[in-house]
């Protein structure tokens, strides 16, 4: 007698299908899956080769879409935006990153039909000017999150500028004036990313003066932000939760005579809600680190990349004050030694992620300290360090069942023996990157698969002899050719 088929209720199927990677394909299996997928799909990432007609059909089919990503779309972006604007959907977030340009007409159509659009992502738009910012602010004054960041570095910018001048091209990019117009109209803004645009203090001052609900500001690689401006930001934005501003100049922009005395040191305590701080590339004196330590802000994430003159004693004071820190990024703090990490490690109890990449004086001892003394650690970045240099030493790596991710690229001293020890110390490892580790062989990769039964992703660009294929315990394969 055959077994009776088990019929799952719709809510159970919704829970199962909501975790699927390709819901669109699964929806074609049967009519029931088709109906369920239409109800639960809230986010759509448009493929690069999708036609406008296909997009129109998807927008009609999935009536509950809240987030649409057009960053990979290679068709006519304005037609795609117009289709979305006229679809009748209640879209809350739209990503149009990596496109050439978005026209004013498209933005106006969005504003006319989508009053609930709260998030607009325009990352790396090739031609984005002050007039476009004015159109965004006028058409969508209710925006709460805006990303207009650009990843072109200054060398790229200078080459592009030279090319424009030599070919009689008029080069117009975002300026402080454009941000000032934007800030004057987007009163409800809570999150903004202006990183990579060549801006200065007036942009941040305009945002802090007009956008009283600001919680997150990303202004990395803007070029001309001063510590005086950051100090005013701390004083003016009581709701600020996250700030990222690299390479702060120690000079000051003086909007008023009284503001000239404001510094990060005497202003950080005003940032009562600040939990994530990234001021990489800044000159960190002992007194500055000490002032952050004394501020007693609710800090959970701290990023101090490229701080070459970082005071280790000051860093110790800071970490002692914030022992509940969860994320610590010290990339390219080249003065760090294994002994420093040993001295600081008692304050790492709650760390879930640490980045020590390009700290060339760190070696196997640091890795052993992290595995032994950091019970909450899940991810480690130790790219291009001295890992492997102490391979011949007997060392207690301990066993850490929390660590799931290791980035160990470009460690030229890393050999099979050290990798085997790492595998035994991190049995819960799922992801490993050992690209460009020249002394590793397929033997080391096989051994780590034996120790780490959950591992599913391994990256290595080194060619191993024999072209053999290695299978992980989870069934995933690492091909070593």
């Amino acid at each position: 007698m055959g077994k009776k088929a088990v019929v799952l209720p719709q809510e159970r199927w919704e829970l199962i299908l909501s975790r699927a990677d390709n819901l669109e394909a699964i929806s074609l299996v049967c009519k029931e899956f088709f109906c369920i997928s239409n109800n639960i799909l809230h986010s759509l990432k448009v493929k690069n080769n999708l036609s406008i007609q296909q997009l129109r059909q998807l927008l009609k089919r999935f009536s509950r879409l809240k987030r649409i990503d057009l960053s990979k779309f290679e068709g006519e972006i304005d037609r795609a935006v117009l289709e979305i604007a006229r679809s009748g959907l209640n879209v809350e977030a739209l990503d149009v990153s990596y496109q050439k340009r978005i026209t004013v007409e498209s933005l106006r159509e969005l504003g006319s039909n989508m009053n609930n659009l709260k998030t607009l992502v325009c990352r790396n738009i090739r031609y984005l000017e002050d007039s476009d910012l004015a159109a965004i602010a006028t058409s969508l004054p209710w925006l709460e999150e805006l990303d207009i960041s650009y990843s072109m570095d200054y060398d790229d910018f200078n080459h592009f500028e030279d090319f424009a001048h030599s070919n009689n091209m008029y080069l117009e990019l975002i300026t402080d004036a454009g941000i000032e117009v934007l800030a004057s109209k987007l009163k409800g803004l809570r999150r903004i990313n202006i990183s990579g645009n060549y801006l200065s203090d007036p942009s941040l001052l305009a945002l802090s003066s007009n956008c009283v609900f600001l919680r997150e500001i990303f202004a990395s690689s803007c070029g001309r932000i001063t510590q005086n401006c950051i100090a005013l930001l701390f004083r003016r934005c009581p709701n600020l939760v996250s700030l990222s501003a690299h390479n702060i100049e120690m000079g000051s922009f003086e909007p008023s005579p009284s503001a000239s005395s404001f510094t990060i040191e005497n202003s950080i305590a005003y940032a009562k809600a600040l939990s994530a701080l990234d001021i990489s590339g800044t000159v960190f004196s002992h007194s500055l680190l000490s002032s952050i330590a004394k501020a007693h802000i609710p800090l959970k994430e701290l990023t101090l990349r490229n701080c070459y003159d970082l005071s280790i004693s000051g860093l110790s004071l800071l970490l002692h004050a914030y022992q509940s820190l969860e994320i610590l990024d010290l990339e390219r703090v080249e003065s760090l030694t294994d002994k420093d990490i040993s001295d600081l490690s008692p304050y790492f109890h709650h760390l879930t992620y640490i980045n020590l990449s390009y700290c060339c004086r760190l070696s196997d001892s640091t890795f052993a300290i992290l595995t032994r003394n950091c019970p909450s650690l899940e991810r480690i970045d130790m790219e291009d360090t001295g890992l492997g240099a102490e391979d011949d030493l007997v060392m207690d790596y301990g066993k850490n069942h929390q660590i799931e991710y290791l980035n160990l690229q470009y460690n030229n001293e890393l050999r099979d023996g050290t990798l085997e020890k790492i595998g035994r110390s991190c049995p819960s490892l799922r992801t490993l990157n050992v690209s460009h580790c020249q002394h590793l062989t397929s033997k080391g990769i096989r051994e780590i698969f034996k120790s780490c039964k959950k591992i599913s992703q391994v990256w290595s660009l080194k060619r191993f002899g024999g072209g053999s294929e290695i299978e992980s315990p989870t069934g995933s394969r690492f091909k070593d050719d």
Side-chain angles (χ1 to χ4, degrees):
M1 186 175 179
K3 294 183 179 180
K4 187 177 180 180
V6 178
V7 179
L8 292 178
Q10 180 169 323
E11 57 268 22
R12 185 66 59 86
W13 276 120
E14 288 183 359
L15 180 62
I16 294 171
L17 295 183
S18 66
R19 301 185 179 185
D21 292 330
N22 192 344
L23 189 59
E24 185 181 343
I26 292 176
S27 68
L28 301 177
V29 172
C30 62
K31 186 176 180 180
E32 183 180 9
F33 282 8
F34 183 88
C35 295
I36 292 174
S37 67
N38 288 355
N39 289 332
I40 66 174
L41 188 67
H42 296 149
S43 180
L44 176 65
K45 192 165 188 176
V46 178
K47 298 176 183 178
N48 57 355
N49 57 353
L50 200 72
S51 69
I52 293 296
Q53 178 62 32
Q54 289 171 318
L55 174 62
R56 186 182 299 125
Q57 291 172 351
L58 288 176
L59 297 177
K60 287 181 179 179
R61 175 180 164 189
F62 298 111
S63 59
R64 298 194 179 184
L65 287 175
K66 298 293 184 183
R67 307 179 67 87
I68 300 178
D69 185 349
L70 293 171
S71 61
K72 301 291 185 182
F73 181 67
E74 295 179 354
E76 296 181 47
I77 187 64
D78 285 310
R79 286 191 61 192
V81 172
L82 289 174
E83 287 293 338
I84 293 169
R86 296 165 182 171
S87 65
L89 294 172
N90 187 23
V91 175
E92 297 174 358
L94 178 63
D95 189 338
V96 291
S97 300
Y98 300 98
Q99 300 296 331
K100 186 175 180 180
R101 169 163 254 163
I102 305 298
T103 64
V104 173
E105 290 74 17
S106 300
L107 293 169
R108 286 174 179 165
E109 194 82 17
L110 279 176
S112 298
N113 296 293
M114 295 199 156
N115 295 335
N116 286 325
L117 186 66
K118 304 298 183 184
T119 301
L120 181 63
V121 182
C122 303
R123 191 183 305 115
N124 278 50
I125 297 290
R126 193 179 306 172
Y127 301 108
L128 192 66
E129 304 170 356
D130 287 348
S131 58
D132 299 314
L133 298 190
I136 289 172
T138 302
S139 303
L140 302 162
W142 48 79
L143 278 181
E144 295 181 2
E145 299 184 16
L146 177 63
D147 186 340
I148 51 173
S149 60
Y150 201 78
S151 61
M152 181 189 293
D153 60 31
Y154 295 124
D155 288 338
D156 290 338
F157 178 85
N158 290 333
H159 291 320
F160 182 58
E161 189 173 36
D162 291 341
F163 176 81
H165 289 320
S166 63
N167 289 275
N168 297 317
M169 292 171 59
Y170 179 60
L171 181 65
E172 183 177 359
L173 301 174
I174 293 174
T175 69
D176 291 325
I179 299 298
E180 289 171 350
V181 171
L182 190 80
S184 68
K185 297 185 178 183
L186 298 184
K187 301 292 188 179
L189 205 60
R190 296 175 183 272
R191 184 182 191 275
I192 188 166
N193 191 340
I194 57 174
S195 298
N197 293 289
Y198 199 57
L199 302 170
S200 56
D201 287 347
S203 290
L204 287 188
L205 295 175
L207 289 167
S208 65
S209 298
N210 293 282
C211 308
V212 296
F213 299 107
L214 266 179
R215 292 173 55 83
E216 298 178 75
I217 300 175
F218 300 88
S220 298
S221 303
C222 286
R224 295 174 292 170
I225 305 295
T226 68
Q227 71 149 340
N228 174 253
C229 177
I230 298 300
L232 281 171
L233 204 63
F234 290 148
R235 291 169 180 263
R236 289 179 174 179
C237 299
N239 299 312
L240 194 63
V241 170
S242 178
L243 172 67
S244 177
H246 297 178
N247 303 310
I248 298 169
E249 297 180 6
M250 299 315 288
S252 65
F253 170 83
E254 300 181 11
S256 67
S258 60
S260 62
S261 60
F262 294 157
T263 66
I264 295 176
E265 291 182 36
N266 63 29
S267 302
I268 184 69
Y270 288 84
K272 298 296 185 183
L274 194 66
S275 64
L277 179 61
D278 178 359
I279 40 180
S280 300
T282 303
V283 178
F284 272 89
S285 63
H286 181 91
S287 61
L288 177 54
L289 291 168
S290 178
S291 66
I292 298 174
K294 294 175 182 177
H296 301 296
I297 56 179
L299 201 60
K300 295 292 184 183
E301 303 177 21
L302 179 63
T303 302
L304 303 175
R305 291 187 179 192
N306 301 307
C307 297
Y308 301 103
D309 298 321
L310 189 67
S311 164
I312 301 302
S313 60
L315 180 61
S316 180
L317 281 175
L318 194 153
L319 294 177
H320 179 268
Y322 298 104
Q323 296 188 40
S324 59
L325 207 65
E326 296 174 1
I327 295 175
L328 180 61
D329 191 336
L330 299 173
E331 183 175 307
R332 293 189 191 278
V333 179
E334 297 179 353
S335 60
L336 275 178
T337 66
D338 290 331
K339 184 181 183 305
D340 294 330
I341 296 298
S342 179
D343 293 340
L344 297 172
S345 64
Y347 312 134
F348 292 171
H349 193 77
H350 291 283
L351 281 187
T352 60
Y353 169 73
I354 189 168
N355 183 5
L356 299 171
S357 294
Y358 304 101
C359 297
C360 55
R361 301 172 69 182
L362 302 182
S363 62
D364 305 59
S365 298
T366 286
F367 191 88
I369 291 165
L370 295 178
T371 54
R372 290 198 310 266
N373 297 357
C374 304
S376 303
L377 201 58
E378 299 173 3
R379 297 166 59 93
I380 299 175
D381 274 316
M382 279 187 69
E383 184 176 336
D384 197 4
T385 64
L387 187 61
E390 298 177 319
D391 184 53
D392 296 333
L393 299 180
V394 177
M395 192 174 299
D396 177 19
Y397 274 64
K399 188 164 284 192
N400 190 314
H401 291 274
Q402 292 297 113
I403 296 173
E404 297 183 349
Y405 172 95
L406 292 176
N407 175 18
L408 308 178
Q409 296 182 79
Y410 291 99
N411 279 289
N412 292 326
E413 299 296 325
L414 185 61
R415 289 172 168 79
D416 292 342
T418 301
L419 193 61
E420 290 175 30
K421 295 174 188 176
I422 288 172
R424 289 195 294 270
S425 69
C426 305
S428 300
L429 193 64
R430 294 178 181 272
T431 302
L432 173 68
N433 192 338
V434 286
S435 300
H436 306 286
C437 295
Q438 299 301 317
H439 293 293
L440 286 182
T441 71
S442 56
K443 178 180 180 295
I445 302 295
R446 286 193 180 91
E447 289 300 321
I448 206 164
F449 275 141
K450 292 178 183 178
S451 301
C452 306
K453 304 300 183 183
K454 298 179 181 179
I455 199 163
S456 59
Q457 291 181 310
V458 176
W459 283 282
S460 176
L461 300 183
K462 184 181 184 299
R463 290 180 178 273
F464 297 136
S468 59
E469 198 172 69
I470 305 169
E471 185 171 358
S472 77
T474 59
S476 63
R477 292 181 181 271
F478 166 77
K479 196 167 184 181
D480 66 358
D481 61 355

